[in-house]
Amino acid sequence: MNKKILIIYGSNNGATKAVVEKVSSKLSAKINNIYDVQIEELEEADVYIFASSTWGHGDLCDDWENHLSKIDQLKLKNKFVAFIGLGDQYVYGSTFCNAISYIYHQIKKVNFKHIGLWPLDGYEHDDSESIVDNKFMGLTIDEDNQAKLTDARIEKWVSQLEQEFSSKA
């Protein structure tokens, strides 16, 4: 695959960073933390992946909360965009992985190619703002309760992305 992929993430305790590093190794993607990235210094990519954990009752992690407006400067029109969300489906089942919906809504006015929607099967949550078309907006990970499923989910999602790159090009 010859796509230039950039992952921009925020992580309060390191779980999102660990997941992003696994995804990056499979996609040969470049990684940047939204906290310390200077958007104007980023190289233009073919694919952007935005990743965040959800904190409290559906909030963005601190890195994203304080720097969300930075992504307004990215040229996302007609680019592939995917999301990775982390959350706790049992303790915060009514706001499970809501954080990626905030990122999505920040950029939704741009005509980007949304890829990487993820099935709801295998999760036990009450509600989530990160559901579109009866799927999660992107890869959804629960490291608190389903850590043993993370690697298999990443593998499946990366394969799915590679197929979508080809079919939506």
Side-chain angles (χ1 to χ4, degrees):
M1 177 180 56
N2 295 336
K3 300 275 186 219
K4 190 174 190 180
I5 303 169
L6 176 61
I7 302 173
I8 300 175
Y9 76 96
S11 186
N12 282 7
N13 68 8
T16 304
K17 181 180 181 185
V19 168
V20 161
E21 287 173 344
K22 289 178 183 182
V23 171
S24 171
S25 70
K26 296 188 178 309
L27 290 172
S28 300
K30 193 172 180 183
I31 303 172
N32 287 284
N33 186 314
I34 190 67
Y35 174 77
D36 50 26
V37 72
Q38 297 299 317
I39 296 295
E40 61 274 2
E41 295 173 4
L42 292 178
E43 300 173 31
E44 192 165 319
D46 302 304
V47 180
Y48 291 88
I49 300 173
F50 299 108
S52 181
S53 54
T54 299
W55 283 85
H57 294 283
D59 299 322
L60 283 165
C61 72
D62 294 342
D63 289 350
W64 274 109
E65 185 71 35
N66 296 322
H67 301 281
L68 182 61
S69 64
K70 284 184 179 181
I71 62 173
D72 292 340
Q73 299 170 52
L74 291 174
K75 293 175 178 74
L76 300 174
K77 185 173 183 174
N78 297 320
K79 302 288 182 167
F80 291 106
V81 174
F83 300 91
I84 300 171
L86 278 76
D88 184 327
Q89 64 191 306
Y90 298 126
V91 175
Y92 299 105
S94 62
T95 58
F96 182 52
C97 289
N98 275 7
I100 58 176
S101 73
Y102 296 117
I103 300 168
Y104 171 84
H105 288 294
Q106 184 76 19
I107 63 171
K108 77 177 184 178
K109 63 188 171 285
V110 178
N111 187 22
F112 60 85
K113 298 174 187 175
H114 189 173
I115 58 172
L117 296 177
W118 188 247
L120 303 176
D121 302 337
Y123 301 91
E124 297 178 33
H125 65 287
D126 299 320
D127 197 15
S128 176
E129 291 179 11
S130 67
I131 296 174
V132 292
D133 298 330
N134 208 28
K135 292 185 176 184
F136 287 112
M137 290 178 177
L139 176 62
T140 303
I141 300 292
D142 183 343
E143 283 289 274
D144 296 317
N145 303 293
Q146 296 180 326
K148 291 180 181 177
L149 301 175
T150 297
D151 289 342
R153 286 177 170 161
I154 290 171
E155 192 71 40
K156 185 176 179 182
W157 189 68
V158 165
S159 294
Q160 175 186 326
L161 285 184
E162 290 171 341
Q163 290 174 353
E164 290 182 48
F165 295 152
S166 301
S167 67
K168 293 184 179 184

